[in-house]
Amino acid sequence: MELVYICGAIIIIFSGILSFYLDVNVPEPIKEKFSLRIMEGCLKGLGHVIDVLLKLGVTQPYSPFIKNLGNNVYRVCTSGKLWNPQDKDLKITNRVMSGVPVRMYEPLSSVQKSNRPVLIYIHGGGWTFLSVDNYDLLSQKLSKDADVVVISVEYRLSPQNPYPAGLNDVTDVISYVFNNAEDVGINPGRIAVGGDSSGGNLAAAAQLRKEMRGKIAMLLLLVPVLQAANMKTISTTENVKYLRKSVNNPDQVINVLHYLHIDLSLFNAFKNNQHTSVAFRRGKYQFLFDQKKYLPSEYIRSEELRKKKTDINDSDNKTLFNEIKDKLTNPNIFPLMASDEDLSHFPFTYVMAAGYDIIRDDAIMFAERLRHLKKKVQLSHFPDGFHNDLVMFSGPLQVDVGVRTVNDICRILKKL
């Protein structure tokens, strides 16, 4: 444990200095460029330290030590805090629900009530990193400001526990809360399930399981990753130059491989968008590639890309695609692949998209699909947002778009 803090301190100190010498391309509308330079420096420094530790044989890739180190550095570089303070107006307890560790946040003003709304929150981190600790301040903020019970889920992570382990944990917690509403002190008709990034993926995937129908009253899909068939969407092309060493790093496709338990030798095929066939890209999922039907031009900044709006390349990797198509097209893994029939059972869904996020289009296309099906959906698009701005809503590295993002989430939760 001491080594974790020593390595973390080294990263934090030197990344602050190194960030001024890094080629950090911050989105133009962001005024708090220093904050993002520090974040980028921390995460780049973290990568270098991990590489050194691995080469020295101190630890193994994705070991608990590496994950703990990464989580601590990420928490500090996004919040500016070494330890998370506890809000005096909240009761915070660690529990186990259906064998899954959770952290429960309850407004003290409603502890004795039984008709309370609840948000089951699923953290991001590419199904591989981060924990409820990284989202502690956000969970406190949502619970207090929206006056809801928040249950933050410590689901199992890959590569040690690939799909469907994490999704099973999430659905087990949802079922537990629904079936034990009186014990938990909530109204089973006021259950919201939400998460960001891979957490948003798991929230949508949970709803797609038939046994979940009727248990979820509201979904919150925040900058969700919802497909891995097209790794060269318009939002990727527009945004990959921004924050390239951190949240928009294309190399994060390796997290998809870990989650799917796919051989890492396929990394370059996925990253270069050469993992599917022409027939697949021109079939019923063509909307993911030409992006004409479900991506309104108003969300595309580039005039050139507005006119082009197509990326159906000519690579035809039939052999590889046949090996992985069952995973790529499984809606319980990638919810954008769901049928209209499955999506017709969705409750009110709040979808949040960030303009400078490489997976922005996943959120927009999903919201548009729900809209086409006449489902109750709200798309909140923050043109100046970036992938992890919602965890930078406070502290010395606070960014304005993070504040606005979290306030909007609270506004929605108050309707639960």
Side-chain angles (χ1 to χ4, degrees), residues 206-224:
Q207 170 61 37
L208 285 166
R209 285 190 166 179
K210 292 183 179 179
E211 65 268 26
M212 289 292 105
R213 292 178 184 175
K215 295 179 180 177
I216 302 172
M218 177 187 291
L219 280 172
L220 292 90
L221 311 182
L222 315 174
V223 292

Side-chain angles (χ1 to χ4, degrees), residues 252-401:
Q252 291 186 88
V253 70
I254 196 170
N255 293 332
V256 173
L257 303 185
H258 283 310
Y259 182 57
L260 300 185
H261 198 52
I262 290 178
D263 193 280
L264 299 186
S265 64
L266 301 181
F267 172 80
N268 285 328
F270 269 77
K271 181 180 177 180
N272 296 320
N273 217 28
Q274 297 175 343
H275 59 303
T276 59
S277 67
V278 170
F280 169 74
R281 294 193 295 277
R282 296 187 182 278
K284 68 176 182 177
Y285 297 112
Q286 181 171 329
F287 71 89
L288 291 175
F289 299 91
D290 64 28
Q291 297 190 259
K292 293 178 180 178
K293 187 173 183 180
Y294 298 119
L295 183 65
S297 296
E298 65 195 80
Y299 298 108
I300 305 172
R301 295 189 305 275
S302 165
E303 184 65 32
E304 180 182 354
L305 290 174
R306 280 198 205 105
K307 295 177 180 178
K308 183 182 178 184
K309 289 189 72 171
T310 181
D311 187 26
I312 303 181
N313 60 58
D314 58 1
S315 65
D316 197 19
N317 204 332
K318 295 178 183 177
T319 301
L320 171 58
F321 177 66
N322 286 334
E323 293 176 4
I324 62 175
K325 66 178 181 180
D326 288 344
K327 293 181 177 179
L328 277 186
T329 60
N330 184 345
N332 285 313
I333 302 176
F334 297 116
L336 250 177
M337 318 307 282
S339 66
D340 288 351
E341 162 62 20
D342 286 337
L343 293 180
S344 70
H345 297 281
F346 268 52
F348 168 73
T349 303
Y350 170 86
V351 183
M352 192 267 279
Y356 286 87
D357 185 3
I358 60 174
I359 59 170
R360 175 198 67 201
D361 294 355
D362 285 20
I364 295 172
M365 289 190 290
F366 196 78
E368 286 298 310
R369 284 197 66 191
L370 290 175
R371 198 186 312 279
H372 274 65
L373 293 171
K374 310 299 183 184
K375 300 302 298 180
K376 293 182 179 179
V377 58
Q378 177 179 325
L379 172 63
S380 285
H381 173 252
F382 292 84
D384 57 338
F386 53 95
H387 188 69
N388 63 339
D389 61 41
L390 79 167
V391 294
M392 299 179 71
F393 70 93
S394 66
L397 299 183
Q398 180 186 87
V399 293
D400 178 67
V401 66

Side-chain angles (χ1 to χ4, degrees), residues 96-102 120 122 151-156 164-181 184 191 193 202-203 205-207 209 211-212 215-216:
V96 176
M97 296 181 174
S98 292
V100 182
V102 303
I120 299 173
I122 312 158
I151 297 175
S152 188
V153 184
E154 194 76 275
Y155 60 93
R156 286 171 290 173
L167 181 57
N168 288 342
D169 289 347
V170 169
T171 55
D172 284 348
V173 170
I174 297 171
S175 293
Y176 180 93
V177 172
F178 183 83
N179 295 328
N180 298 275
V184 180
I191 297 176
V193 177
L202 292 171
Q207 170 61 37
R209 285 190 166 179
E211 65 268 26
M212 289 292 105
K215 295 179 180 177
I216 302 172

